[in-house]
């Protein structure tokens, strides 16, 4: 019972207690809490935007007057959309016109962004450089050199992979060639053995069938007394 009581007591101590929601008097503790809660709030806003494809904007002023903000896209776009939505709620009769106006503004912003990206791409290709000042040219040079270095590194990796692939293929072909040579040598040896056997058989047959040899030969040894003179 004592052990069970101690275990339950420890669980109660480890249980997270609820914090009373009121102003924190200690300035240091207030700043620490503000920093932690602000990061948690921005993190939750980012997760909500990512998971649900929501457009979110947060504006926070600390007790010292410092500004903190978060936006899932453009803060200005979200504010304009909020103002437009507020106006639409105040003037329902103007809703179609205001929606069209908002779409025009969004289209204008996208067109402007597309034009900027197109100009940047042309400048990377070495076009339309007359409008750039010295600092912009230095920055563009840095970007181009970085991109060129990455291209060269990627190209070298591809070349090395291709060389290794060709080496492996050459080794495989050499191995197959050696196997074919060995098989060819074995077949040649077998063919020579067969030809020599056939030649020996033919020679023996020819000797046996030769007409110059006598038909009967008496090779027996005869023992006895010599004949008288």
């Amino acid at each position: 019972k004592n052990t069970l009581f101690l275990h339950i007591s420890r669980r109660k101590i480890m249980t997270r207690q609820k914090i009373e929601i009121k102003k924190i008097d200690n300035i240091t503790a207030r700043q620490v809490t503000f920093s932690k809660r602000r990061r948690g709030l921005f993190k939750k806003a980012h997760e909500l935007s990512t998971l649900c494809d929501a457009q979110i904007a947060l504006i926070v002023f600390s007790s010292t007057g410092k500004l903190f903000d978060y936006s899932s896209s453009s803060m200005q776009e979200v504010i304009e959309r909020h103002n437009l939505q507020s106006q639409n709620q105040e003037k329902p009769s103007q809703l179609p016109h205001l929606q069209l106006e908002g779409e025009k503004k969004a289209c204008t912003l996208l067109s402007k962004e597309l034009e900027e990206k197109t100009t940047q791409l042309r400048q990377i290709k070495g076009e339309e450089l007359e409008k750039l000042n010295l600092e912009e040219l230095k920055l563009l040079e840095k970007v181009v050199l970085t991109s060129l270095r990455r291209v060269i590194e990627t190209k070298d990796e591809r070349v090395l992979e291709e060389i290794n692939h060709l080496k492996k293929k050459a080794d495989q072909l050499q191995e197959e060639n050696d196997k074919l040579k060995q098989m060819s040598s074995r077949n040649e040896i077998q063919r020579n053995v067969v030809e020599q056997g056939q030649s020996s058989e033919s020679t023996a047959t020819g000797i046996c069938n030769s007409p110059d040899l006598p038909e009967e030969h008496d090779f027996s040894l005869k023992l006895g007394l010599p004949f008288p003179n």
Side-chain angles (χ1 to χ4, degrees):
K1 292 182 179 180
N2 294 333
T3 304
L4 180 60
F5 177 76
L6 289 173
H7 181 67
I8 294 174
S9 299
R10 289 177 182 176
R11 291 188 59 182
K12 287 183 178 180
I13 294 173
M14 294 176 62
T15 303
R16 193 171 181 179
Q17 298 179 355
K18 292 184 178 181
I19 300 176
E20 184 180 359
I21 303 301
K22 67 176 183 177
K23 182 178 178 180
I24 301 175
D25 295 329
N26 186 285
I27 297 177
T28 302
R30 186 192 308 164
Q31 291 177 351
V32 172
T33 302
F34 173 79
S35 179
K36 291 182 178 180
R37 293 296 182 100
R38 174 180 55 80
R39 286 196 298 265
L41 178 62
F42 286 2
K43 181 180 179 181
K44 291 298 182 181
H46 175 71
E47 292 175 355
L48 178 61
S49 173
T50 303
L51 294 173
C52 303
D53 193 22
Q55 196 172 13
I56 300 174
L58 298 176
I59 299 176
V60 179
F61 286 96
S62 66
S63 58
T64 58
K66 190 174 181 180
L67 171 64
F68 300 91
D69 59 15
Y70 166 81
S71 177
S72 58
S73 57
S74 170
M75 177 66 74
Q76 186 64 30
E77 288 182 11
V78 178
I79 293 175
E80 289 180 357
R81 184 174 180 181
H82 172 268
N83 295 335
L84 182 62
Q85 187 69 22
S86 299
Q87 293 175 5
N88 293 339
Q89 292 177 357
E90 293 176 359
K91 300 177 181 179
S93 60
Q94 298 181 0
L95 181 59
H97 174 72
L98 294 176
Q99 286 181 345
L100 180 61
E101 189 69 23
E103 291 176 358
K104 286 182 179 179
K105 289 183 179 180
C107 183
T108 302
L109 291 174
L110 290 175
S111 298
K112 185 178 179 181
E113 184 178 357
L114 177 61
E115 184 179 355
E116 292 176 355
K117 296 298 182 182
T118 303
T119 302
Q120 291 176 1
L121 180 60
R122 290 176 180 173
Q123 291 172 351
I124 291 176
K125 294 168 63 177
E127 303 174 0
E128 300 183 5
L129 303 178
E130 298 81 5
K131 301 178 182 180
L132 301 179
N133 56 32
L134 182 58
E135 294 299 326
E136 291 173 341
L137 288 172
K138 289 181 180 179
L139 180 60
L140 179 62
E141 181 185 13
K142 184 177 180 180
V143 172
V144 171
L145 291 176
T146 302
S147 300
L148 180 60
R149 185 178 69 253
R150 291 176 179 174
V151 170
I152 293 175
E153 290 176 355
T154 305
K155 183 202 68 174
D156 293 341
E157 290 176 359
R158 296 294 184 273
V159 170
L160 184 60
E161 291 176 358
E162 186 67 21
I163 290 174
N164 293 332
H165 176 70
L166 292 175
K167 285 182 178 180
K168 289 181 180 179
K169 190 172 183 180
D171 294 339
Q172 292 177 354
L173 292 175
Q174 184 64 37
E175 185 178 355
E176 293 178 358
N177 189 25
D178 294 340
K179 290 181 179 180
L180 291 175
K181 285 183 179 180
Q182 292 176 1
M183 292 177 62
S184 177
S185 299
R186 288 198 295 268
N187 292 335
E188 184 68 23
I189 293 172
Q190 292 177 358
R191 186 164 55 252
N192 292 335
V193 171
V194 172
E195 290 178 355
Q196 290 177 1
Q198 292 177 352
S199 175
S200 300
E201 184 179 355
S202 300
T203 302
T205 304
I207 293 175
C208 293
N209 296 332
S210 175
D212 297 334
L213 293 176
E215 293 181 357
E216 294 181 358
H217 299 275
D218 188 5
F219 296 100
S220 61
L221 179 62
K222 295 180 180 181
L223 298 178
L225 295 174
F227 291 102
N229 292 330

